[in-house]
Amino acid sequence: MAGPLSVGVNLEAFSQAIGAIQALRSSVSRVFDCLGDGLRNRETLEGREKAFIARFRDNLHSVHRDLHELERLSNLVCKPLENHPLHNSGLLSLDPAQDKTPLYSQLLQAYKWSSKLQCHAGLAAGLLNQQSLKRSANQMGAPAKRRPKAQPTMLLLPPQYVDDVISRIDRMFPEMSIQLSRPNGTSAMLLVTLGKVLKAIVVLRSLFIDRTIVKGYNENVYTEGGKLDIWSKSNYQVFRKVTDHATTALLHYQLPQMPHVVVRSFMTWLRSYIKLFQAPCQRCGKFLWDGLPPTWRDFRTLEAFHDTCRQ
Amino acid sequence: MNIKNVSQMPVAEGKSVQQTVELLTRKLEVLGAEKQGTFCVDCETYHTAASTLGSQGQTGKLMYVMHNSEYPLSCFALFENGPCLIADTNFDVLMVKLKGFFQSAKASKIETRGTRYQYCDFLVKVGTVTMGPSARGISVEVEYGPCVVASDCWSLLLEFLQSFLGSHTPGAPAVFGSRHDTVYGPADTMVQYMELFNKIRKQQQVPVAGIR
């Protein structure tokens, strides 16, 4: 790590490295210029080709030389300190030209603005929860004053935290296994296998559930390329219905301040499908209605109902 | 694997097999089921050749070689209460070569043919069981696709069966009770067909009016 003593040395290496980058850029652009000019007019085709190849080779050699120089210099340059409280953005405050590029102050402004927005959104969510507009259940949010003071949470949670939350939920339910994967960057995808009844694909954005697809235990959940197939629907009507209900549940379980609670409640709700084929409807007492078993699970009591019996 | 239940429908009093099948299919169509092609299951009996039997006077076991149009590339070989072998259709050729050990019983071929009906996630196959030229009974197979553990969905299947078989609903086959948590496979279906065929074979001496 670069201490205060080595700063001078470092700065020199930096300026040399910048010079080397400029040299590299100019030699690279010479290569492209040469390619762009193409074969110049000469008497014979052979002469033209020879001259062109010679020029091209010279240019490539100089690129090679400059690149070596840059690599040599880059070894001298240390990585900047990383333990700044604002991470890399903190380095912006070191920029001496405040007047020309006021990035740092703008950044601070934006940060303040976004945390204020978050705070207001949280309060609004609390108020809206009391005025329940939900059709399917009259769940009232807990009184706002009893809730712990809302921390301004970050939308972008570290992947490590997401892993922790998911593995804790995985341990909570022995009959449910959760496989976490990140095929596309930081967003996690879960493959939930519930007993020998169903498989559910849950797409997370940070710790918010974006989409869910429910399929049968014996259905293929992977595409031909071996990735999780998050688009195609189940072949069975009963699981298409369960997918619809699961999407309703996503909209129902909302608590912006505590996303991990949302994921846990959703999984608890999903777990009640372990008795999908065994539980009769709590209202009509039958198994089948229109050829489908009771696919609806109440959000609070987790009791089984037919879609038409739940009102 | 999809859960299936194979059962026998008794022929109604004073009606022929054909009429009872028509009655049943009409009930299914009223229920809203859609016709979806045909199916066929056949079974041939082989018994162990006398030359290979041991001297202790043991009796030869019967082996059943079956085909199912749902699994057109497979051939099933079963022993009663014994293991079930699932092989390629080439197995038939192999059986010809094994003449010295297994001999085909004469006029033992029994088969069921009929129509498949789709109703939601259920697949119903109503077939006429024939042995040689004569129709001997009716088979009803109900398949429920989404479920893979038989004991989970028995009550659900029973309710569905009641909706079109009325009072003739069967008891739970052995497959549904015995093994609790195992995944249902094609062999389980074939065992049920084998038991059904054996039951029907035993009834062949009984006069037609008494068939149940």
Side-chain angles (χ1 to χ4, degrees):
Chain A
M1 285 292 119
L5 286 177
S6 59
V7 165
V9 182
N10 246 348
L11 281 182
E12 197 169 306
F14 263 119
S15 62
Q16 276 177 6
I18 289 170
I21 290 173
Q22 282 165 346
L24 181 63
R25 290 179 67 159
S26 69
S27 57
V28 167
S29 61
R30 269 205 301 282
V31 170
F32 285 113
D33 280 347
C34 152
L35 282 179
D37 289 348
L39 308 180
R40 291 247 177 82
N41 274 333
R42 291 271 165 84
E43 287 81 36
T44 62
L45 187 69
E46 252 181 50
R48 276 193 278 175
E49 272 184 2
K50 262 185 191 163
F52 175 73
I53 290 170
R55 255 185 315 123
F56 188 58
R57 194 190 293 136
D58 286 348
N59 284 333
L60 279 185
H61 272 307
S62 62
V63 168
H64 186 69
R65 198 185 54 230
D66 291 343
L67 193 63
H68 259 285
E69 178 68 11
L70 182 63
E71 271 179 353
R72 188 184 64 80
L73 285 169
S74 65
N75 286 332
L76 297 177
V77 178
C78 283
K79 245 177 143 185
L81 276 179
E82 274 190 346
N83 52 2
H84 198 280
L86 293 179
H87 298 284
N88 287 342
S89 52
L91 294 173
L92 280 176
S93 67
L94 301 178
D95 192 0
Q98 258 303 329
D99 303 338
K100 281 182 194 161
T101 51
L103 278 180
Y104 187 62
S105 53
Q106 281 174 355
L107 183 76
L108 288 183
Q109 285 288 342
Y111 181 75
K112 264 189 214 161
W113 194 82
S114 95
S115 57
K116 241 187 228 169
L117 177 78
Q118 191 106 40
C119 178
H120 287 169
L123 289 174
L127 282 173
L128 281 177
N129 256 348
Q130 289 173 7
Q131 326 279 329
S132 183
L133 296 173
K134 280 159 193 157
R135 182 172 61 103
S136 44
N138 46 358
Q139 178 237 4
M140 298 280 283
K145 53 187 167 189
R146 276 178 51 205
R147 203 174 284 164
K149 178 91 175 74
Q151 306 273 328
T153 49
M154 279 186 287
L155 276 179
L156 196 86
L157 295 160
Q160 188 59 45
Y161 177 72
V162 178
D163 288 1
D164 275 1
V165 170
I166 299 300
S167 70
R168 225 174 299 143
I169 293 171
D170 192 16
R171 282 198 300 271
M172 247 168 70
F173 306 122
E175 64 275 46
M176 197 167 173
S177 80
I178 303 180
Q179 256 179 56
L180 187 141
S181 62
R182 290 196 167 80
N184 306 314
T186 50
S187 293
M189 279 203 226
L190 311 178
L191 174 62
V192 184
T193 311
L194 182 63
K196 281 182 180 148
V197 178
L198 57 82
K199 286 179 182 172
I201 298 169
V202 179
V203 183
L204 292 178
R205 185 170 43 84
S206 170
L207 208 48
F208 297 91
I209 304 177
D210 247 13
R211 178 185 174 81
T212 178
I213 294 267
V214 179
K215 288 190 177 183
Y217 181 79
N218 51 348
E219 282 187 278
N220 189 17
V221 289
Y222 294 100
T223 57
E224 280 170 17
K227 280 188 172 181
L228 277 181
D229 184 2
I230 62 169
W231 301 114
S232 67
K233 288 182 173 176
S234 169
N235 290 328
Y236 299 116
Q237 285 190 20
V238 47
F239 290 118
R240 289 205 288 268
K241 201 86 191 160
V242 173
T243 303
D244 290 350
H245 292 329
T247 312
T248 320
L250 291 190
L251 300 174
H252 174 86
Y253 293 116
Q254 284 294 349
L255 204 57
Q257 278 109 28
M258 289 179 274
H260 62 279
V261 177
V262 174
V263 179
R264 208 175 55 210
S265 343
F266 176 74
M267 291 298 178
T268 316
W269 176 84
L270 191 68
R271 193 182 65 112
S272 61
Y273 279 107
I274 189 101
K275 296 251 181 237
L276 177 60
F277 304 115
Q278 295 173 52
C281 171
Q282 294 297 305
R283 181 174 292 245
C284 66
K286 287 189 174 174
F287 282 97
L288 292 170
W289 174 264
D290 224 5
L292 292 173
T295 47
W296 175 261
R297 294 291 181 273
D298 191 86
F299 289 134
R300 278 186 306 160
T301 58
L302 303 180
E303 283 172 337
F305 290 102
H306 290 124
D307 199 14
T308 44
C309 292
R310 65 184 161 113
Q311 264 88 35
Chain B
M1 205 40 247
N2 316 329
I3 307 297
K4 294 175 191 178
N5 168 48
V6 182
S7 55
Q8 189 192 357
M9 170 74 186
V11 178
E13 292 280 331
K15 288 211 173 107
S16 73
V17 171
Q18 199 53 41
Q19 281 168 326
T20 319
V21 169
E22 269 170 28
L23 205 73
L24 212 56
T25 51
R26 211 172 309 133
K27 265 188 194 170
L28 279 169
E29 272 160 22
V30 167
L31 202 67
E34 281 172 27
K35 221 179 236 188
Q36 219 189 42
T38 57
F39 82 102
C40 166
V41 177
D42 63 62
C43 172
E44 242 172 299
T45 315
Y46 288 82
H47 44 74
T48 5
S51 57
T52 58
L53 283 179
S55 51
Q56 294 90 357
Q58 64 190 58
T59 49
K61 267 187 175 177
L62 292 179
M63 187 172 85
Y64 302 95
V65 176
M66 307 179 75
H67 302 91
N68 188 341
S69 59
E70 295 289 309
Y71 310 103
L73 296 182
S74 300
C75 175
F76 302 81
L78 305 91
F79 282 110
E80 235 170 327
N81 309 319
C84 172
L85 175 81
I86 304 177
D88 284 358
T89 33
N90 286 348
F91 189 75
D92 293 330
V93 187
L94 191 69
M95 283 310 288
V96 176
K97 299 227 166 169
L98 287 177
K99 248 186 214 162
F101 301 95
F102 293 104
Q103 283 170 343
S104 164
K106 284 215 174 78
S108 69
K109 186 155 179 170
I110 183 164
E111 64 173 18
T112 176
R113 280 176 186 278
T115 328
R116 292 157 42 116
Y117 285 88
Q118 169 108 41
Y119 173 64
C120 274
D121 296 327
F122 291 96
L123 202 60
V124 186
K125 294 173 207 160
V126 182
T128 319
V129 183
T130 51
M131 205 172 150
S134 57
R136 300 222 173 245
I138 300 162
S139 73
V140 177
E141 178 191 331
V142 174
E143 172 180 339
Y144 189 58
C147 192
V148 292
V149 180
S151 52
D152 276 8
C153 67
W154 169 244
S155 11
L156 188 144
L157 269 183
L158 195 66
E159 196 181 299
F160 179 64
L161 283 165
Q162 270 163 2
S163 67
F164 69 96
L165 289 185
S167 56
H168 304 301
T169 41
V175 194
F176 283 80
S178 56
R179 298 167 307 158
H180 270 295
D181 214 21
T182 42
V183 173
Y184 190 94
D188 297 319
T189 310
M190 297 321 279
V191 169
Q192 289 190 54
Y193 266 112
M194 178 188 77
E195 283 165 359
L196 174 78
F197 287 155
N198 282 347
K199 211 169 110 192
I200 288 176
R201 255 193 220 109
K202 277 174 199 152
Q203 290 167 350
Q204 65 180 353
Q205 289 86 13
V206 186
V208 177
I211 284 186
R212 265 200 51 87

